[in-house]
Amino acid sequence: MLNETAMAALEQTGATEPEKRIRDRSATERAILKAAKNLLAEEGFQNFGINAVARRAGCDKQLIYRYYGGLDGLVEAIGADLGNWVKDRIPEDTGGMFLLTYGDLMERLSLLFLEALRDDPLMRRIVAWEISENTEQVRRLSEARSKALGLWLDRMRGSLTPPKGIDTAAVNALIFASIQHLVLSAAAGGQCAGLVLKNGKDWEKAATALKRLVRGVYG
Amino acid sequence: MLNETAMAALEQTGATEPEKRIRDRSATERAILKAAKNLLAEEGFQNFGINAVARRAGCDKQLIYRYYGGLDGLVEAIGADLGNWVKDRIPEDTGGMFLLTYGDLMERLSLLFLEALRDDPLMRRIVAWEISENTEQVRRLSEARSKALGLWLDRMRGSLTPPKGIDTAAVNALIFASIQHLVLSAAAGGQCAGLVLKNGKDWEKAATALKRLVRGVYG
DNA sequence: CCGGTCTGTCACCAATCGGTGAGTAACAGT
DNA sequence: ACTGTTACTCACCGATTGGTGACAGACCGG
């Protein structure tokens, strides 16, 4: 992979070493996984393939087959990290405010999720992948993600009792769906349903609208 | 393209004609466009390419270059049809009910949009395409779609005045985003954020949740 | 030192992709 | 009937894809 550049460097300077790859399996595995995640985050799933990952990782694709059993295994490894997403990207505390009602909770969670998704290109790509394809790969990824999200939601709810007479599962699904689509659409084209979403001010308006929506159902 | 099968038929029966393609440019153009739309609707944008469209249309890909100027032109032709989508798929009348308030209107529009999107695989693929890629192709498609949607929204609103003090643009964007993501997610994996969406009963629950959401903000 | 295992590289495969240039068959005008 | 245009097909191009088998060198136990 880097042979050409390395050779060129050698010919030019005659000093620099050929940048030999060290023999460290776990390091290579980590490099591959990292390359895959970065590639997926930056390029999207359209050009996500064995060759592209190997190229970015700077190693031969054969190693991906050996260490991960191909792309499927690699994707699964990515999914394994997804369980830590919530823990990594979303603060545990309640931001110093007391969440007295279910409405308080959902408002806070919605805004947290909005921000977290906005800041994580990889997760955005995965969500986009989920609704664009229906392969086994994606299904596993999707499962891991929704499970992690559900656990987070349960944990944050704590002992708060949801309001009676409302199908919270359906309503919350709609709320989170709206957040996901808003963020994805904005990331792709800078707008959503005609609503421009580029600078911070635009997002503030979206956030207040979201709050209003949540408060509308949950009071 | 059908030469092989035609030849085989000839060898077997010795009677059937070689299924010769008639020389009718406009018919061929229509066949190509139809093939492209069907292909996009059924297979998605992953395998949407010149070769695949030509294969499905049963003609040579050269004709796509000649008649549409390549895939871009073909996509643009698809986008041109998008303006008629609302007219074709969404009923004009108010369903026999009087829409007195803005809330009445938005509830009705939301449900109409939900159903229409659920029934149109092509439109679903386009929406999924929009949030997955950001090429010029998709941008034009997206533009045509959002413009048609906006016109429909304006027309249906009529002389109804939106409520004061609410950023209806942002709120409506969120509502429509939730619908789109819900439908796309369901079409891909049969569920959305853990909410199963398969049989009619599931969708009824989603519809009531949507109504509740809309009524929450708009009363 | 020798032999085997582990890590990494390389060359090659068939298939498919988008794209093009040349050719053929049917038609229309004269 | 000759001619030019239109509609269409075919063969080929280079590039890239996923995938595999063979090989080279480092390391380690004997």
Side-chain angles (χ1 to χ4, degrees):
Chain A
M1 30 78 212
L2 290 181
N3 284 350
E4 303 162 8
T5 56
M7 298 275 281
L10 267 175
E11 285 170 7
Q12 285 172 10
T13 67
T16 55
E17 317 195 6
E19 190 80 48
K20 204 64 173 293
R21 167 165 292 277
I22 51 170
R23 291 167 56 88
D24 184 342
R25 168 160 180 165
S26 70
T28 309
E29 284 181 359
R30 270 181 281 119
I32 292 175
L33 186 60
K34 183 179 174 184
K37 287 163 71 174
N38 287 342
L39 182 68
L40 184 55
E42 293 170 20
E43 306 280 339
F45 55 93
Q46 342 276 359
N47 301 90
F48 186 74
I50 283 279
N51 292 306
V53 173
R55 212 177 300 133
R56 176 173 277 238
C59 71
D60 198 274
K61 56 182 170 182
Q62 175 76 20
L63 300 182
I64 301 178
Y65 286 104
R66 272 219 261 281
Y67 298 156
Y68 291 96
L71 252 196
D72 295 5
L74 186 53
V75 169
E76 204 148 1
I78 293 179
D81 278 5
L82 247 55
N84 305 327
W85 182 72
V86 167
K87 171 160 59 65
D88 292 345
R89 324 278 308 197
I90 301 187
E92 286 280 339
D93 62 5
T94 55
M97 46 198 315
F98 290 98
L99 304 180
L100 298 176
T101 71
Y102 194 80
D104 293 339
L105 173 71
M106 284 311 298
E107 176 183 315
R108 173 118 182 99
L109 294 194
S110 300
L111 294 178
L112 280 177
F113 184 65
L114 175 70
E115 263 194 58
L117 196 60
R118 220 154 75 76
D119 288 342
D120 190 341
L122 174 60
M123 190 53 77
R124 285 202 306 263
R125 296 294 192 176
I126 290 177
V127 174
W129 204 359
E130 283 177 19
I131 63 170
S132 302
E133 238 176 3
N134 197 14
T135 62
E136 193 57 35
Q137 282 183 6
V138 176
R139 216 170 296 127
R140 297 219 192 107
L141 223 49
S142 172
E143 199 172 333
R145 196 182 70 86
S146 89
K147 176 187 277 183
L149 199 65
L151 283 178
W152 173 64
L153 231 140
D154 277 358
R155 188 157 46 81
M156 292 293 277
R157 191 187 55 210
S159 58
L160 233 49
T161 56
K164 304 289 180 189
I166 296 186
D167 187 353
T168 57
V171 170
N172 289 342
L174 274 170
I175 291 173
F176 278 80
S178 77
I179 297 170
Q180 290 185 24
H181 199 89
L182 193 83
V183 175
L184 292 212
S185 184
Q191 57 180 340
C192 175
L195 181 71
V196 175
L197 289 166
K198 291 185 175 169
N199 55 47
K201 208 155 174 54
D202 301 331
W203 283 105
E204 270 184 41
K205 290 203 279 185
T208 60
L210 179 60
K211 277 192 274 188
R212 197 182 289 272
L213 210 63
V214 173
R215 288 301 184 179
V217 268
Y218 290 134
Chain B
M1 31 72 219
L2 291 179
N3 286 347
E4 301 162 10
T5 58
M7 297 276 281
L10 266 175
E11 284 170 7
Q12 285 171 8
T13 67
T16 54
E17 317 193 5
E19 189 81 46
K20 204 62 173 298
R21 168 167 290 277
I22 51 170
R23 291 167 56 87
D24 184 343
R25 168 160 182 167
S26 70
T28 308
E29 284 182 358
R30 270 180 281 120
I32 292 174
L33 186 60
K34 182 179 174 185
K37 287 163 72 174
N38 288 341
L39 182 69
L40 185 55
E42 293 170 20
E43 308 279 338
F45 55 93
Q46 340 279 356
N47 302 89
F48 186 75
I50 284 278
N51 292 307
V53 172
R55 212 177 299 132
R56 176 173 277 239
C59 72
D60 198 274
K61 57 182 170 182
Q62 176 76 22
L63 299 182
I64 301 177
Y65 285 106
R66 274 221 252 285
Y67 297 157
Y68 291 97
L71 251 197
D72 294 5
L74 187 51
V75 169
E76 205 148 3
I78 293 178
D81 278 5
L82 248 55
N84 304 327
W85 183 72
V86 167
K87 172 162 59 65
D88 293 345
R89 324 277 310 198
I90 300 186
E92 286 279 339
D93 61 6
T94 57
M97 46 196 318
F98 289 98
L99 303 181
L100 298 177
T101 71
Y102 194 80
D104 294 340
L105 173 71
M106 284 311 298
E107 175 183 315
R108 172 118 185 98
L109 294 194
S110 300
L111 294 177
L112 281 177
F113 185 65
L114 176 70
E115 265 194 56
L117 195 60
R118 221 154 73 76
D119 289 342
D120 190 341
L122 175 61
M123 191 53 78
R124 286 203 305 264
R125 296 294 191 176
I126 290 178
V127 174
W129 204 359
E130 284 177 18
I131 63 171
S132 303
E133 238 176 4
N134 197 13
T135 62
E136 193 57 36
Q137 281 183 8
V138 175
R139 215 170 297 127
R140 296 222 192 106
L141 224 46
S142 172
E143 199 172 336
R145 197 182 69 87
S146 88
K147 176 187 277 184
L149 200 65
L151 283 178
W152 173 64
L153 231 140
D154 277 357
R155 190 157 44 80
M156 292 294 276
R157 191 187 56 209
S159 59
L160 233 48
T161 56
K164 304 289 180 190
I166 297 186
D167 187 354
T168 57
V171 170
N172 289 342
L174 274 170
I175 291 173
F176 277 81
S178 76
I179 297 171
Q180 290 184 24
H181 199 86
L182 193 83
V183 174
L184 292 212
S185 184
Q191 57 181 342
C192 176
L195 181 72
V196 175
L197 289 167
K198 292 182 175 171
N199 55 49
K201 206 155 176 56
D202 300 332
W203 283 104
E204 270 184 41
K205 289 204 280 186
T208 61
L210 178 60
K211 276 191 276 190
R212 197 182 290 273
L213 210 64
V214 173
R215 287 302 185 179
V217 268
Y218 289 135

